[in-house]
């Protein structure tokens, strides 16, 4: 499959990327050596249209009113996207990791995302008692871009898919990454080791590591460093989309490229 993808890319007249120059300039320069086709970096794509127009599932807007009740940067948002499934044992570790962290959290549990469960039947005994006084809120699906942009959201525990990674970067929200397959593995490594705007869980879903990662991202001094770095990148996003910015100019170049045929 990868070989066919590379072959197809080499045959393409041009390549359009959902990224921006300031984030991956060196990577794209290296890629251009092997793929001399014209490259157009016009992302982030999601900034060009409303989030609600892309959602595959019904978004629970009550998550936003719940966030309104919390202080700035205090809530951990947890969502593993529209495809990832977890085993029951992993689900239990996630639940106890969240409960033991004592950090407010908004948790998206997609129906059918837990093996052998329709929705919340596998929540461990005693879990709900541990998250009293509004410390945790569970929904089937959330308006992710609005959640990430909310002042109360201070961290994002994600599967590390590119769309989610880019959306988090655009809103300046630090990340905990639990990659499963494909590009998620590389994205997570970039978050933790290259851009240094979050952490990657190295041992899968283990409650002790989960609790430690949440503390590191949300409370420790290292989390403040992550936040400063990602807010710096967020500023570059805002500039690249304005007239004269890198993505704005690349989009103009793409239009002119189409008109040249």
């Amino acid at each position: 499959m990868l070989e066919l993808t590379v072959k197809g890319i080499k045959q393409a007249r041009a390549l359009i990327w959902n990224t921006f120059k300031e984030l991956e300039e060196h990577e794209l320069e290296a890629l251009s050596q092997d793929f001399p086709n014209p490259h157009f970096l016009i992302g982030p794509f999601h900034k060009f249209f409303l989030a609600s127009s892309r959602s595959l599932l019904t978004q629970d807007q009550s998550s936003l009113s719940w966030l309104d009740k919390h202080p700035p940067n205090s809530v951990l948002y947890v969502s593993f996207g529209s495809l990832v499934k977890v085993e029951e044992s992993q689900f239990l570790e996630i639940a106890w990791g969240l409960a033991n962290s004592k950090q407010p959290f908004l948790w998206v549990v997609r129906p059918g995302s837990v093996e052998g469960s329709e929705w919340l039947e596998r929540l461990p005994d005693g879990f709900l008692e541990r998250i009293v006084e509004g410390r945790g809120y569970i929904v089937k699906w959330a308006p992710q871009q609005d959640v990430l942009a909310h002042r109360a959201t201070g961290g994002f525990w994600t599967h590390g898919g590119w769309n989610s990674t880019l959306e988090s970067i655009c809103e300046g929200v630090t990340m905990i990454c639990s990659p499963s397959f494909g590009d998620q593995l590389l994205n997570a490594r970039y978050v933790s080791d290259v851009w240094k705007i979050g952490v990657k869980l190295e041992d899968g879903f283990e409650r002790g590591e989960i609790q430690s990662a949440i503390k590191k991202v949300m409370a420790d001094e290292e989390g403040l460093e992550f936040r400063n770095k990602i807010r710096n990148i967020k500023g570059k996003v805002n500039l690249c989309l304005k007239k004269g910015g890198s993505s704005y100019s690349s989009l103009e170049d793409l239009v002119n490229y189409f008109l040249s045929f």
Side-chain angles (χ1 to χ4, degrees):
M1 177 64 74
L2 181 59
E3 183 179 350
L4 290 175
T5 300
V6 172
K7 183 178 179 181
I9 290 175
K10 286 187 175 181
Q11 293 175 345
R13 283 192 172 186
L15 298 173
I16 300 172
W17 299 96
N18 182 21
T19 188
F20 55 101
K21 179 181 177 181
E22 291 78 3
L23 184 65
E24 298 187 280
E25 183 172 11
H26 297 301
E27 288 77 8
L28 269 298
E29 285 178 356
L31 200 59
S32 297
Q33 302 302 314
D34 294 320
F35 302 96
N37 338 46
H39 294 252
F40 299 98
L41 284 64
I42 64 172
F45 289 173
H46 71 275
K47 287 292 188 178
F48 295 109
F49 46 85
L50 295 175
S52 58
S53 67
R54 301 190 304 128
S55 182
L56 299 175
L57 300 171
T58 301
Q59 299 173 342
D60 189 336
Q61 300 294 326
S62 69
S63 54
L64 299 177
S65 57
W66 182 83
L67 285 171
D68 288 341
K69 302 173 184 177
H70 291 79
N73 301 315
S74 64
V75 176
L76 177 70
Y77 170 54
V78 185
S79 178
F80 302 131
S82 57
L83 295 176
V84 171
K85 286 193 172 187
V86 297
E87 298 175 0
E88 180 181 352
S89 60
Q90 295 173 318
F91 182 67
L92 295 177
E93 291 297 306
I94 294 168
W96 283 125
L98 290 170
N100 294 341
S101 74
K102 299 181 181 179
Q103 190 74 39
F105 62 86
L106 170 62
W107 185 11
V108 173
V109 180
R110 195 182 73 252
S113 63
V114 181
E115 298 288 354
S117 172
E118 286 297 320
W119 193 36
L120 298 179
E121 303 93 310
R122 297 294 188 267
L123 277 177
D125 293 338
F127 174 78
L128 294 178
E129 288 75 11
R130 293 286 297 274
I131 59 169
V132 294
E133 298 180 357
R135 192 168 64 78
Y137 194 60
I138 304 175
V139 297
K140 294 180 178 178
W141 199 246
Q144 181 158 292
Q145 290 178 31
D146 293 330
V147 168
L148 290 172
H150 198 284
R151 62 175 181 80
T153 303
F156 180 19
W157 183 4
T158 171
H159 61 305
W162 183 242
N163 286 337
S164 290
T165 300
L166 201 55
E167 287 169 6
S168 198
I169 288 173
C170 288
E171 300 304 336
V173 178
T174 58
M175 283 169 271
I176 299 170
C177 296
S178 296
S180 296
F181 52 80
D183 71 314
Q184 299 169 14
L185 301 169
L186 183 60
N187 298 339
R189 190 57 67 191
Y190 261 74
V191 166
S192 63
D193 294 355
V194 180
W195 300 320
K196 298 182 179 179
I197 53 177
V199 299
K200 175 181 178 293
L201 294 181
E202 301 292 349
D203 298 321
F205 297 102
E206 191 279 317
R207 67 184 72 181
E209 187 187 10
I210 291 169
Q211 184 178 349
S212 176
I214 293 173
K215 184 174 184 294
K216 183 179 291 188
V217 168
M218 299 294 294
D220 284 356
E221 186 174 337
E222 191 171 357
L224 181 60
E225 294 178 7
F226 293 153
R227 193 168 292 122
N228 289 337
K229 287 179 180 178
I230 200 168
R231 285 176 176 171
N232 180 53
I233 300 175
K234 176 185 177 181
K236 294 178 180 179
V237 173
N238 295 333
L239 290 175
C240 83
L241 295 169
K242 293 181 178 179
K243 188 171 184 178
S246 61
S247 291
Y248 188 103
S249 298
S250 191
L251 182 58
E252 288 184 323
D253 292 340
L254 177 60
V255 172
N256 291 331
Y257 181 76
F258 285 141
L259 293 174
S260 67
F261 292 110

